[in-house]
Amino acid sequence: MALCIGMFTLWTRDRARYLIIWSLGFFAFGAGSLLITLRNQIPDFLSIILANVSTTSSSVLFYIGICIYFKRRCTWLYCMLALLCIEALLLIYFTYVSYDTSVRIYIYNSIQVLIVLMTLATIFKISKKAPIEKNPELLIITVLFLIAHSARIIGTPFYPAPQNFLASGNFQTLLAFGLMIIHISYSQVFANMHASVLNDKISKALLNAQTKERQKVEVLGYIGHDLRAPLATISSYAALLLARADEDQHHQLQTIQRSIKYQLGLIDELLEYTKSELQPLAVRPKSTDLHALVQDIADYAVALSSQKNNRFELRSPDLLPLLVLVDGKRLQQVLLNLLSNAAKFTSDGFIELYITCTRQGQQCDLQFTVSDSGIGIDLSDGVDIFGAFQQVQAQSGSTGLGLFIAQHVVSAMGGSLSAHSALGKGSSFSFQLTLPQIGAGMSLLHAPTASEQEALWAAIAPHLLEILALQQLEDFATRGQWSDIQSWIDEHTNDTELIGLQDYLLESLDRFDFSSIAALARKLKTG
């Protein structure tokens, strides 16, 4: 009866038809069992006929619930109902005409065996069309149910049932207790089956939500892409009109152009978002010149460090492989994010990139460490500095995505980013990557000095001064005008001697690091 109440409670929550049928099944077995225990205190019709038919009907109800659960027709239902009628008639005969307890046991258990065999046949049929791997215990418990009733038929000649077999303590009592245990097991099986249904619903709902979310992002991407074309057309016509406009019209057209540029900037942000959502992080290793990659990063690091009068140093005491299999763009992205963070939170100090290498056969364990003497971070507060949008200093002007992106990329490359820091004592971020080496070439890394790096940028400066666009670049970066900076790069860095500058600007733009672009523009203006 307790199992009936539990199953009924589940039904009140989810209103699944099979739950109420199973609840009635437990009620029928409980009511029949209770009537049997009242033998000699109530009429035989209640304690024998009604009690046995009631417990048998519980098996029929279980069968109906199983069919409803698996959405199958109750093929054997009419046969089972006929068996219930036959059982009732035979029990009446051997109670009122020819009183025989053992024969009643044979009748009751034989009918149960037939019903259980029909249930097993249905389960096997279901398993062929809709495998029941999620609920194998259903088959196991049903087989045990069949064994228990069969054992009672076989054992009754050897252990006849007395007038009150519940009090006899013999084989009959043991099997009666076993049947109750099996019913308790059935309740667990049915509960697990219902839980599987709920899990499937949750999975489908989650998949549906993810699909809809992706569709929304795709729609945003389509809208952003389609909005850009008419705005570009409007901007072009505004530029044509501006060439022939008088003073009053000139001001109005400039207002239109500023508005268009602002709208294009917003659209670019939208497209950047959709791009990141629709194209998840992918790591594509390929043959990479490690020395050239690190030296490029060092070139950028000098410019980053000079923003707040910091000294950059590249150190690598070990022999490094010449060629490794790695996604160079992703590795560069991580190191530049870490170096950019160091530059933001350090003034009049130092920033260092330290690289060590341990060779293991055809693989190398490369340890990268970016250290600075900046303000440091209090890690004792339990702040997740690698979480998205976690800003260490609100006045930094950063989005708080740098460390989140770096950690995400390092994890995708098979490493883990760790941090060591203390307030006022600087910070150190490190990660290790195990990379396959291509060839056997190993050499020390040439670390350019700060003066050499300054000379490199100084060589670029005259070209830019001839363009007379540095002020415009600085203005774009100061206002965070992503689209305008992209156009500026396309227009002014086609010279082969400016490829290094182009790469630096594009990398900074990808990270939305407008402060670095503005600082570089100011530096190049002064030569």
Side-chain angles (χ1 to χ4, degrees):
M1 300 301 286
L3 299 178
C4 163
I5 294 171
M7 200 62 63
F8 181 78
T9 303
L10 288 178
W11 174 79
T12 59
R13 294 178 180 177
D14 301 303
R15 300 291 177 176
R17 278 201 307 154
Y18 54 81
L19 290 176
I20 193 65
I21 298 297
W22 287 334
S23 177
L24 292 173
F26 287 118
F27 176 81
F29 185 81
S33 300
L34 182 61
L35 290 173
I36 291 174
T37 61
L38 297 176
R39 185 79 177 278
N40 299 324
Q41 300 179 43
I42 59 176
D44 286 346
F45 178 81
L46 296 177
S47 63
I48 297 177
I49 290 93
L50 184 61
N52 282 279
V53 171
S54 180
T55 53
T56 304
S57 65
S58 69
S59 299
V60 177
L61 289 167
F62 290 164
Y63 164 77
I64 295 172
I66 290 169
C67 290
I68 293 174
Y69 176 87
F70 288 106
K71 299 177 181 179
R72 293 291 185 273
R73 291 180 59 188
C74 299
T75 310
W76 298 100
L77 181 58
Y78 292 115
C79 293
M80 292 181 180
L81 294 176
L83 288 172
L84 281 177
C85 294
I86 293 172
E87 178 186 13
L89 292 174
L90 291 174
L91 289 175
I92 290 172
Y93 178 83
F94 287 100
T95 300
Y96 294 106
V97 179
S98 176
Y99 194 93
D100 192 323
T101 302
S102 294
V103 173
R104 289 200 302 268
I105 291 176
Y106 293 143
I107 293 168
Y108 169 77
N109 287 282
S110 296
I111 298 296
Q112 284 278 26
V113 165
L114 291 173
I115 292 174
V116 174
L117 285 173
M118 293 176 188
T119 303
L120 280 173
T122 300
I123 292 174
F124 281 121
K125 186 176 180 181
I126 290 171
S127 66
K128 292 180 180 179
K129 296 182 179 179
I132 58 172
E133 285 84 354
K134 291 183 180 179
N135 308 105
E137 62 271 23
L138 174 63
L139 180 61
I140 296 171
I141 298 301
T142 305
V143 170
L144 288 177
F145 201 29
L146 176 64
I147 292 172
H149 286 297
S150 300
R152 199 169 183 195
I153 294 173
I154 296 171
T156 295
F158 304 100
Y159 299 95
Q163 181 70 17
N164 187 356
F165 70 88
L166 290 176
S168 67
N170 66 6
F171 174 75
Q172 299 291 341
T173 306
L174 178 64
L175 284 180
F177 180 72
L179 289 175
M180 298 184 73
I181 296 297
I182 288 173
H183 277 75
I184 293 173
S185 301
Y186 259 132
S187 70
Q188 184 63 50
V189 171
F190 293 154
N192 289 342
M193 290 166 67
H194 181 57
S196 297
V197 171
L198 295 180
N199 287 335
D200 288 342
K201 287 182 179 179
I202 292 172
S203 298
K204 289 177 181 177
L206 179 60
L207 181 61
N208 185 49
Q210 290 173 339
T211 301
K212 288 184 176 179
E213 181 65 22
R214 183 176 179 84
Q215 289 172 346
K216 289 178 182 178
V217 173
E218 289 176 349
V219 170
L220 286 176
Y222 298 149
I223 291 173
H225 183 271
D226 291 344
L227 282 176
R228 218 182 187 291
L231 281 175
T233 303
I234 295 171
S235 179
S236 299
Y237 276 108
L240 291 175
L241 292 173
L242 192 62
R244 302 191 298 269
D246 56 32
E247 186 174 346
D248 291 338
Q249 294 172 334
H250 195 275
H251 175 72
Q252 295 168 351
L253 289 169
Q254 281 187 325
T255 302
I256 292 174
Q257 284 194 316
R258 282 196 297 271
S259 298
I260 291 171
K261 289 179 179 179
Y262 175 71
Q263 290 294 329
L264 287 173
L266 294 178
I267 291 172
D268 283 337
E269 290 182 9
L270 176 63
L271 291 175
E272 187 67 24
Y273 166 74
T274 58
K275 178 183 176 182
S276 63
E277 288 293 314
L278 296 175
Q279 298 178 1
L281 175 66
V283 175
R284 299 180 179 85
K286 60 181 180 180
S287 177
T288 301
D289 185 335
L290 182 63
H291 289 242
L293 177 66
V294 173
Q295 298 223 9
D296 284 344
I297 293 170
D299 293 345
Y300 302 147
V302 170
L304 288 170
S305 301
S306 66
Q307 295 177 25
K308 295 185 179 181
N309 196 32
N310 293 305
R311 183 181 75 259
F312 173 75
E313 185 175 355
L314 170 64
R315 290 199 300 132
S316 180
D318 300 331
L319 293 172
L320 298 183
L322 298 177
L323 294 175
V324 292
L325 193 64
V326 68
D327 189 331
K329 184 177 180 180
R330 292 297 184 190
L331 178 57
Q332 187 179 53
Q333 182 182 12
V334 172
L335 292 173
L336 287 178
N337 265 309
L338 296 177
L339 290 165
S340 178
N341 271 351
K344 287 174 185 174
F345 300 112
T346 306
S347 299
D348 301 315
F350 75 87
I351 299 170
E352 179 185 77
L353 172 58
Y354 186 73
I355 306 173
T356 60
C357 175
T358 303
R359 191 172 181 180
Q360 298 181 354
Q362 292 301 311
Q363 292 187 323
C364 292
D365 290 334
L366 292 170
Q367 179 87 20
F368 298 88
T369 304
V370 174
S371 304
D372 63 67
S373 60
I375 61 175
I377 307 168
D378 186 3
L379 298 178
S380 62
D381 290 342
V383 178
D384 179 16
I385 61 172
F386 297 116
F389 305 106
Q390 294 293 325
Q391 292 176 278
V392 178
Q393 293 289 330
Q395 68 269 25
S396 68
S398 65
T399 61
L401 283 171
L403 291 178
F404 171 76
I405 293 172
Q407 174 71 299
H408 192 42
V409 174
V410 170
S411 297
M413 297 175 74
S416 179
L417 184 61
S418 60
H420 302 279
S421 184
L423 279 178
K425 297 183 179 180
S427 303
S428 176
F429 294 88
S430 60
F431 62 94
Q432 180 175 306
L433 299 177
T434 300
L435 304 177
Q437 181 179 350
I438 300 174
M442 302 279 288
S443 67
L444 286 172
L445 180 70
H446 170 63
T449 63
S451 59
E452 289 175 328
Q453 296 298 325
E454 292 288 349
L456 172 65
W457 293 113
I460 294 174
H463 294 277
L464 294 174
L465 290 174
E466 293 173 6
I467 299 171
L468 300 178
L470 285 174
Q471 184 60 51
Q472 186 183 40
L473 176 62
E474 183 181 354
D475 292 342
F476 289 157
T478 302
R479 293 193 292 268
Q481 295 174 248
W482 196 96
S483 299
D484 293 325
I485 296 174
Q486 179 69 60
S487 300
W488 191 97
I489 294 171
D490 293 339
E491 182 180 353
H492 299 304
T493 59
N494 291 325
D495 195 316
T496 54
E497 296 183 40
L498 301 179
I499 292 300
L501 175 64
Q502 183 186 69
D503 290 343
Y504 175 78
L505 291 175
L506 288 174
E507 288 287 345
S508 299
L509 199 59
D510 285 342
R511 300 192 312 275
F512 294 95
D513 190 358
F514 297 113
S515 59
S516 295
I517 296 174
L520 177 61
R522 285 193 295 271
K523 186 175 183 65
L524 294 177
K525 278 195 304 181
T526 60

